[in-house]
Amino acid sequence: MKIKTLKNFSVTILTISLFFATSTNASEIRLGMSEKQQYIENKIYNTLHPASDFKPYKFEAPEGWTLETLTLNNVGVERLKAEHPKTTRIILQLHGGGYTNGLTEGHRLLGAKQGMLIGAAEVYYVHYRLAPKNVYPAALEDAVAVYKELLSSGIKPEKIVVIGDSAGGNLALELSLYLKEKGISQPAALALISPWGTFEQNAPLRVKNISRDLVLGSKGFPLYQEVQVRKPSYAGNMELNDPKLSPIYADLRGLPPMLIQLGGYELFVDDGLSLINRALSDDVEATLTSYPGMPHDFPLLLPELHETELSLKEFRDFVERYL
């Protein structure tokens, strides 16, 4: 563990080995590096090329929770609600998918796990408008509308943690920047999984990790074309280095504490490093954790692996510090 202190705040960059911690979850899978890469490659291939008898996963609300669909400020939302909540904490989830793909069953599952871990009262999943039909600022407008409605309903901002993976991490940051600009109270914390920090495509590890990132790289999901080859459709006519698209260039002063979780082999490693350097230079408390050998968005796509269990525990501890 290496700790770097800058302007009275600290960043912890953790390199977590498979032997770093034990777990009470006997169902999680622990693999050595080479076995792990083969397992991930096989799973991603089978995801993209399902067998004829494949039955897709269907999320069901856990026992003691109810899932309902509603509209908040004209934005479609799903709310997972605890029947007997342990706290008044609220999760606002902004899903990933390159701004072109909608909410998945995996996002519902991840939000439920996170909600149960922190004893949340409610988890809100936002169905924001998607590109290419809807370009910037459509998704941001929808996220803002939902956040404002939560505050109007009496939910305290200091009880909200905003979670975003990939493009959702980008959106979470842009939401927080908008709130700062408009003088609206910030959430208590931001939890960012593999955040898309810049729409630019020339960062060194965007090239080096193309073959190693088995999810977002050229061997993985089709979203590789959206984030690394052609101009991202959500950008519309905007410049790719505009801080409204690329928060690594924004003034982050005044934003809440943030947790950044990365896969060591993913395309967005440089995004995360640039983001935490910017956060620390702007006096934002931030922690970045890199999980060796893991691809983009692994807590979402590889829930069975030991590294995902570790990332969820880190998220729980992060929330305990700030909410």
Side-chain angles (χ1 to χ4, degrees):
M1 180 184 301
K2 298 179 181 180
I3 300 178
K4 175 183 177 183
T5 301
L6 181 63
K7 293 188 178 181
N8 299 320
F9 293 110
S10 67
V11 51
T12 304
I13 301 180
L14 301 179
T15 300
I16 301 179
S17 74
L18 292 177
F19 309 103
F20 177 76
T22 58
S23 172
T24 57
N25 184 356
S27 64
E28 69 186 53
I29 298 174
R30 304 186 185 210
L31 299 170
M33 185 62 76
S34 61
E35 292 85 1
K36 181 166 55 180
Q37 300 311 307
Q38 187 62 59
Y39 178 90
I40 294 170
E41 185 169 6
N42 289 342
K43 179 165 183 180
I44 297 306
Y45 179 86
N46 291 330
T47 299
L48 295 172
H49 307 90
S52 58
D53 60 348
F54 173 74
K55 295 181 179 179
Y57 168 76
K58 179 66 176 177
F59 174 77
E60 294 184 1
E63 184 178 355
W65 295 73
T66 56
L67 182 66
E68 59 183 337
T69 301
L70 58 156
T71 300
L72 299 180
N73 261 349
N74 298 314
V75 180
V77 171
E78 294 179 31
R79 178 172 64 184
L80 186 65
K81 187 173 184 178
E83 295 173 6
H84 303 288
K86 298 178 181 179
T87 73
T88 56
R89 294 170 178 159
I90 301 294
I91 288 177
L92 177 62
Q93 188 203 79
L94 302 173
H95 67 79
Y99 282 109
T100 62
N101 292 1
L103 185 73
T104 68
E105 301 295 80
H107 286 102
R108 294 182 179 95
L109 176 62
L110 181 60
K113 286 183 175 181
Q114 292 166 325
M116 289 187 289
L117 270 177
I118 67 170
E122 296 172 325
V123 179
Y124 288 86
Y125 308 92
V126 182
H127 289 273
Y128 56 82
R129 285 170 289 168
L130 300 174
K133 181 179 180 180
N134 301 285
V135 300
Y136 179 91
L140 175 60
E141 290 173 346
D142 291 348
V144 169
V146 172
Y147 184 83
K148 285 182 175 179
E149 184 63 23
L150 295 184
L151 299 188
S152 296
S153 71
I155 294 174
K156 303 297 184 183
E158 62 267 22
K159 295 298 182 181
I160 300 174
V161 54
V162 179
I163 298 172
D165 68 289
S166 193
N170 181 285
L171 183 54
L173 287 162
E174 296 299 345
L175 168 63
S176 204
L177 288 166
Y178 176 93
L179 299 177
K180 182 180 76 166
E181 178 184 351
K182 300 301 182 181
I184 301 171
S185 297
Q186 294 282 346
L190 304 177
L192 311 174
I193 302 170
S194 298
W196 194 2
T198 175
F199 275 36
E200 296 173 304
Q201 299 160 328
N202 57 358
L205 289 177
R206 288 282 187 96
V207 177
K208 181 178 179 180
N209 281 351
I210 283 174
S211 61
R212 298 201 298 179
D213 187 339
L214 299 174
V215 165
L216 197 58
S218 57
K219 293 183 179 180
F221 285 158
L223 280 178
Y224 170 75
Q225 298 291 324
E226 186 70 21
V227 304
Q228 187 60 17
V229 177
R230 57 176 175 258
K231 183 177 182 179
S233 54
Y234 183 65
N237 295 322
M238 298 175 65
E239 296 294 326
L240 298 187
N241 63 353
D242 191 312
K244 293 183 173 63
L245 297 176
S246 299
I248 66 168
Y249 298 116
D251 180 351
L252 303 182
R253 284 174 291 185
L255 267 61
M258 61 180 71
L259 170 66
I260 304 167
Q261 295 180 325
L262 303 174
Y265 278 178
E266 72 163 285
L267 290 189
F268 290 170
V269 169
D270 286 327
D271 298 51
L273 293 173
S274 296
L275 178 60
I276 197 164
N277 285 332
R278 170 67 68 172
L280 291 172
S281 67
D282 288 344
D283 292 330
V284 176
E285 191 165 0
T287 298
L288 182 150
T289 309
S290 177
Y291 291 79
M294 297 305 289
H296 178 75
D297 219 346
F298 68 91
L300 173 73
L301 298 167
L302 299 160
E304 69 276 20
L305 290 189
H306 178 57
E307 288 84 354
T308 293
E309 179 72 11
L310 292 177
S311 74
L312 288 170
K313 289 179 177 178
E314 183 189 26
F315 165 75
R316 177 201 61 199
D317 294 344
F318 170 75
V319 171
E320 291 290 342
R321 288 201 300 271
Y322 298 109
L323 277 80

